[in-house]
Amino acid sequence: MKDESIFPPKCCSQVIPMDTTNVFITEELLAEYENKREEFATEKRTYCSDRACSAFIPTRSIDDGIGRCTHCEKKTCLNCLSEAHEGTCTDDPESQRVIHLAEEMGWQRCEQCKNIIELEHGCFHMSCRCKYEFCYRCGKQWKTCGCPQWDEEQLMARRAAANAAAPAPAPAAAQRRPCRHRDYVRFNRERREASFAFHVSRDADARCESEVEVGLAL
Protein backbone atom coordinates (compact mmCIF):
# COMPACT_ATOMS: atom_id res chain seq x y z
CA MET A 1 0.00 0.00 0.00
CA LYS A 2 3.00 2.29 -0.14
CA ASP A 3 2.93 2.49 -3.92
CA GLU A 4 0.17 4.87 -4.96
CA SER A 5 0.43 3.84 -8.61
CA ILE A 6 -1.07 0.41 -7.85
CA PHE A 7 -3.71 1.62 -5.40
CA PRO A 8 -6.44 0.53 -4.94
CA PRO A 9 -5.76 -3.21 -5.35
CA LYS A 10 -7.09 -4.57 -8.62
CA CYS A 11 -7.62 -7.89 -10.33
CA CYS A 12 -8.02 -8.06 -14.11
CA SER A 13 -8.13 -4.22 -14.15
CA GLN A 14 -11.11 -4.25 -11.77
CA VAL A 15 -10.99 -2.76 -8.26
CA ILE A 16 -11.32 -5.44 -5.60
CA PRO A 17 -14.26 -4.60 -3.27
CA MET A 18 -13.00 -4.53 0.29
CA ASP A 19 -16.28 -5.86 1.68
CA THR A 20 -15.52 -9.17 -0.03
CA THR A 21 -12.08 -9.47 1.57
CA ASN A 22 -12.77 -8.30 5.13
CA VAL A 23 -12.97 -11.88 6.39
CA PHE A 24 -9.45 -12.57 5.10
CA ILE A 25 -7.55 -9.56 6.49
CA THR A 26 -6.93 -8.27 10.00
CA GLU A 27 -8.50 -5.18 11.51
CA GLU A 28 -5.08 -3.48 11.60
CA LEU A 29 -4.57 -4.02 7.87
CA LEU A 30 -8.09 -2.81 7.12
CA ALA A 31 -7.49 0.35 9.16
CA GLU A 32 -4.23 0.96 7.30
CA TYR A 33 -6.06 0.54 4.01
CA GLU A 34 -8.69 3.11 4.99
CA ASN A 35 -5.97 5.58 6.04
CA LYS A 36 -4.15 5.14 2.75
CA ARG A 37 -7.36 5.57 0.79
CA GLU A 38 -7.99 8.88 2.56
CA GLU A 39 -4.38 9.98 2.00
CA PHE A 40 -4.33 9.17 -1.71
CA ALA A 41 -7.71 10.85 -2.20
CA THR A 42 -6.44 14.12 -0.69
CA GLU A 43 -5.05 16.58 -3.24
CA LYS A 44 -3.17 18.98 -0.96
CA ARG A 45 -1.56 16.70 1.57
CA THR A 46 0.19 17.56 4.79
CA TYR A 47 2.70 15.31 6.53
CA CYS A 48 4.08 15.46 10.03
CA SER A 49 7.05 17.83 10.33
CA ASP A 50 8.85 15.35 12.57
CA ARG A 51 11.13 13.48 10.14
CA ALA A 52 11.11 10.44 12.41
CA CYS A 53 7.33 10.27 11.96
CA SER A 54 6.37 11.87 8.60
CA ALA A 55 2.85 10.45 8.90
CA PHE A 56 -0.01 11.80 6.82
CA ILE A 57 -2.18 14.35 8.62
CA PRO A 58 -5.84 13.99 7.58
CA THR A 59 -7.89 17.10 6.88
CA ARG A 60 -10.07 16.47 9.95
CA SER A 61 -6.94 17.03 12.10
CA ILE A 62 -6.20 20.45 10.57
CA ASP A 63 -7.48 23.62 12.19
CA ASP A 64 -6.56 27.24 11.48
CA GLY A 65 -3.48 26.37 9.43
CA ILE A 66 -2.11 23.91 12.00
CA GLY A 67 -2.17 20.15 11.53
CA ARG A 68 -2.01 17.74 14.45
CA CYS A 69 -0.40 14.37 13.77
CA THR A 70 -2.59 11.46 14.82
CA HIS A 71 0.50 9.29 15.42
CA CYS A 72 2.89 11.41 17.48
CA GLU A 73 0.53 14.30 18.40
CA LYS A 74 3.03 16.89 17.13
CA LYS A 75 1.73 19.96 15.31
CA THR A 76 2.79 21.11 11.85
CA CYS A 77 2.48 24.51 10.19
CA LEU A 78 0.70 24.16 6.85
CA ASN A 79 2.49 27.18 5.41
CA CYS A 80 6.14 26.24 5.93
CA LEU A 81 5.49 22.54 6.72
CA SER A 82 7.78 22.79 9.74
CA GLU A 83 6.90 22.49 13.41
CA ALA A 84 4.01 24.71 14.47
CA HIS A 85 5.07 28.08 15.87
CA GLU A 86 3.65 31.39 17.05
CA GLY A 87 3.74 34.66 15.19
CA THR A 88 4.71 35.21 11.58
CA CYS A 89 5.59 32.04 9.67
CA THR A 90 9.24 31.73 8.73
CA ASP A 91 10.42 29.14 6.25
CA ASP A 92 12.42 26.22 7.55
CA PRO A 93 16.17 26.77 6.80
CA GLU A 94 16.70 23.14 5.81
CA SER A 95 13.76 23.25 3.44
CA GLN A 96 15.11 26.43 1.91
CA ARG A 97 18.48 24.79 1.27
CA VAL A 98 16.76 21.94 -0.53
CA ILE A 99 14.73 24.41 -2.60
CA HIS A 100 17.86 26.35 -3.54
CA LEU A 101 19.58 23.11 -4.52
CA ALA A 102 16.60 22.20 -6.69
CA GLU A 103 16.82 25.56 -8.44
CA GLU A 104 20.53 25.11 -9.10
CA MET A 105 20.02 21.59 -10.46
CA GLY A 106 17.03 22.58 -12.56
CA TRP A 107 14.57 20.38 -10.66
CA GLN A 108 10.90 21.29 -10.68
CA ARG A 109 8.48 21.60 -7.77
CA CYS A 110 4.87 20.47 -7.79
CA GLU A 111 2.64 23.48 -7.21
CA GLN A 112 0.04 21.40 -5.41
CA CYS A 113 1.92 19.26 -2.89
CA LYS A 114 5.29 21.09 -3.10
CA ASN A 115 7.24 17.89 -3.73
CA ILE A 116 10.46 18.28 -5.73
CA ILE A 117 10.76 16.18 -8.88
CA GLU A 118 13.83 15.44 -10.99
CA LEU A 119 13.42 14.50 -14.65
CA GLU A 120 16.06 12.03 -15.84
CA HIS A 121 14.55 11.04 -19.17
CA GLY A 122 11.28 11.23 -21.04
CA CYS A 123 8.90 14.04 -21.92
CA PHE A 124 8.02 17.14 -19.88
CA HIS A 125 4.61 15.78 -18.86
CA MET A 126 4.85 15.19 -15.11
CA SER A 127 2.27 13.23 -13.09
CA CYS A 128 2.99 13.84 -9.42
CA ARG A 129 2.05 11.29 -6.77
CA CYS A 130 -0.64 13.73 -5.64
CA LYS A 131 -2.21 13.29 -9.12
CA TYR A 132 -1.36 16.87 -10.17
CA GLU A 133 -0.12 17.06 -13.77
CA PHE A 134 2.23 19.84 -14.81
CA CYS A 135 4.92 20.83 -17.29
CA TYR A 136 8.42 20.09 -16.04
CA ARG A 137 9.93 22.90 -18.08
CA CYS A 138 7.88 25.81 -16.70
CA GLY A 139 6.01 24.27 -13.75
CA LYS A 140 2.56 25.29 -14.97
CA GLN A 141 -0.42 22.98 -15.09
CA TRP A 142 -0.21 20.56 -18.00
CA LYS A 143 -1.62 21.81 -21.32
CA THR A 144 -1.79 25.42 -20.12
CA CYS A 145 1.59 26.48 -21.54
CA GLY A 146 3.28 26.59 -24.92
CA CYS A 147 6.36 24.56 -24.01
CA PRO A 148 7.43 21.65 -26.23
CA GLN A 149 6.57 18.19 -24.98
CA TRP A 150 10.19 17.02 -24.89
CA ASP A 151 13.78 18.10 -25.46
CA GLU A 152 15.37 16.19 -28.33
CA GLU A 153 18.93 16.98 -27.19
CA GLN A 154 18.18 15.76 -23.68
CA LEU A 155 16.77 12.48 -24.99
CA MET A 156 19.78 11.92 -27.27
CA ALA A 157 22.21 12.76 -24.46
CA ARG A 158 20.43 10.31 -22.18
CA ARG A 159 20.62 7.59 -24.80
CA ALA A 160 24.32 8.25 -25.42
CA ALA A 161 25.02 8.05 -21.69
CA ALA A 162 23.11 4.77 -21.44
CA ASN A 163 25.04 3.31 -24.37
CA ALA A 164 28.35 4.41 -22.84
CA ALA A 165 27.46 2.80 -19.52
CA ALA A 166 26.34 -0.46 -21.12
CA PRO A 167 28.89 -3.30 -20.82
CA ALA A 168 30.77 -4.27 -23.96
CA PRO A 169 29.45 -7.41 -25.65
CA ALA A 170 31.37 -10.55 -24.81
CA PRO A 171 33.55 -11.92 -27.64
CA ALA A 172 32.02 -14.77 -29.54
CA ALA A 173 33.28 -18.15 -28.43
CA ALA A 174 35.54 -19.95 -30.91
CA GLN A 175 33.65 -22.57 -32.84
CA ARG A 176 34.86 -26.02 -31.90
CA ARG A 177 35.21 -28.59 -34.63
CA PRO A 178 33.32 -31.79 -33.92
CA CYS A 179 35.36 -34.78 -32.85
CA ARG A 180 35.76 -37.33 -35.72
CA HIS A 181 37.49 -40.00 -33.67
CA ARG A 182 34.42 -42.21 -33.50
CA ASP A 183 33.87 -41.90 -37.24
CA TYR A 184 37.49 -42.89 -37.86
CA VAL A 185 37.22 -45.93 -35.59
CA ARG A 186 33.96 -47.01 -37.20
CA PHE A 187 35.46 -46.56 -40.68
CA ASN A 188 38.47 -48.74 -39.82
CA ARG A 189 36.23 -51.42 -38.31
CA GLU A 190 34.00 -51.50 -41.38
CA ARG A 191 37.03 -51.63 -43.67
CA ARG A 192 38.52 -54.56 -41.75
CA GLU A 193 35.19 -56.39 -41.82
CA ALA A 194 34.86 -55.81 -45.56
CA SER A 195 38.43 -57.00 -46.14
CA PHE A 196 37.84 -60.12 -44.05
CA ALA A 197 34.62 -60.90 -45.91
CA PHE A 198 36.43 -60.45 -49.23
CA HIS A 199 39.19 -62.88 -48.29
CA VAL A 200 36.70 -65.45 -46.96
CA SER A 201 34.71 -65.22 -50.17
CA ARG A 202 37.85 -65.56 -52.30
CA ASP A 203 39.03 -68.62 -50.35
CA ALA A 204 35.61 -70.21 -50.74
CA ASP A 205 35.68 -69.62 -54.49
CA ALA A 206 39.16 -71.12 -54.68
CA ARG A 207 38.04 -74.26 -52.86
CA CYS A 208 35.07 -74.65 -55.15
CA GLU A 209 37.30 -74.41 -58.23
CA SER A 210 39.68 -77.03 -56.78
CA GLU A 211 36.82 -79.42 -56.09
CA VAL A 212 35.53 -78.97 -59.63
CA GLU A 213 38.95 -79.71 -61.10
CA VAL A 214 39.29 -82.84 -58.94
CA GLY A 215 35.87 -84.04 -60.06
CA LEU A 216 36.74 -83.59 -63.69
CA ALA A 217 40.00 -85.48 -63.24
CA LEU A 218 38.16 -88.43 -61.77
Side-chain angles (χ1 to χ4, degrees):
M1 288 188 289
K2 295 181 179 180
D3 190 350
E4 186 175 356
S5 63
I6 57 176
F7 190 91
K10 298 179 182 179
C11 179
C12 301
S13 302
Q14 299 295 326
V15 178
I16 301 176
M18 292 305 298
D19 55 356
T20 62
T21 60
N22 290 347
V23 295
F24 303 106
I25 60 178
T26 62
E27 294 183 359
E28 292 78 7
L29 185 59
L30 181 60
E32 183 181 357
Y33 173 84
E34 294 297 336
N35 292 335
K36 282 297 180 181
R37 183 170 63 175
E38 181 180 5
E39 176 184 352
F40 294 154
T42 303
E43 293 185 356
K44 295 183 178 181
R45 305 171 190 172
T46 303
Y47 295 90
C48 180
S49 58
D50 186 356
R51 289 177 173 79
C53 178
S54 300
F56 169 71
I57 301 178
T59 54
R60 62 178 180 275
S61 299
I62 297 176
D63 183 28
D64 196 20
I66 301 297
R68 180 180 58 83
C69 180
T70 57
H71 288 259
C72 66
E73 298 296 330
K74 291 186 178 181
K75 296 181 179 180
T76 300
C77 173
L78 267 66
N79 187 28
C80 63
L81 302 180
S82 59
E83 187 176 358
H85 50 79
E86 296 181 357
T88 304
C89 178
T90 57
D91 290 334
D92 181 25
E94 293 187 8
S95 299
Q96 286 300 311
R97 282 196 291 269
V98 174
I99 294 174
H100 291 327
L101 176 62
E103 293 175 352
E104 294 175 359
M105 300 299 295
W107 302 337
Q108 195 57 262
R109 194 178 187 189
C110 175
E111 289 295 331
Q112 183 163 277
C113 67
K114 307 303 181 182
N115 280 318
I116 295 176
I117 299 176
E118 178 187 7
L119 174 64
E120 291 187 352
H121 58 85
C123 65
F124 293 138
H125 180 198
M126 295 290 102
S127 296
C128 185
R129 65 179 185 179
C130 69
K131 303 299 179 64
Y132 183 73
E133 299 181 23
F134 63 94
C135 172
Y136 186 83
R137 190 167 188 177
C138 66
K140 294 182 180 180
Q141 188 175 5
W142 184 243
K143 293 185 177 180
T144 62
C145 63
C147 298
Q149 292 191 6
W150 62 80
D151 186 347
E152 189 72 22
E153 294 183 359
Q154 182 184 19
L155 295 178
M156 296 301 294
R158 178 67 181 179
R159 181 175 182 179
N163 293 337
Q175 185 176 4
R176 298 182 59 184
R177 300 182 62 182
C179 178
R180 305 303 299 272
H181 176 71
R182 294 183 178 179
D183 296 340
Y184 177 75
V185 172
R186 184 174 63 254
F187 172 76
N188 284 340
R189 183 175 63 251
E190 293 175 352
R191 186 176 62 177
R192 288 196 301 269
E193 292 175 353
S195 177
F196 177 76
F198 171 76
H199 286 87
V200 170
S201 177
R202 188 179 62 179
D203 292 344
D205 293 342
R207 286 197 300 271
C208 290
E209 291 177 357
S210 299
E211 292 176 356
V212 171
E213 291 177 355
V214 171
L216 292 175
L218 295 176

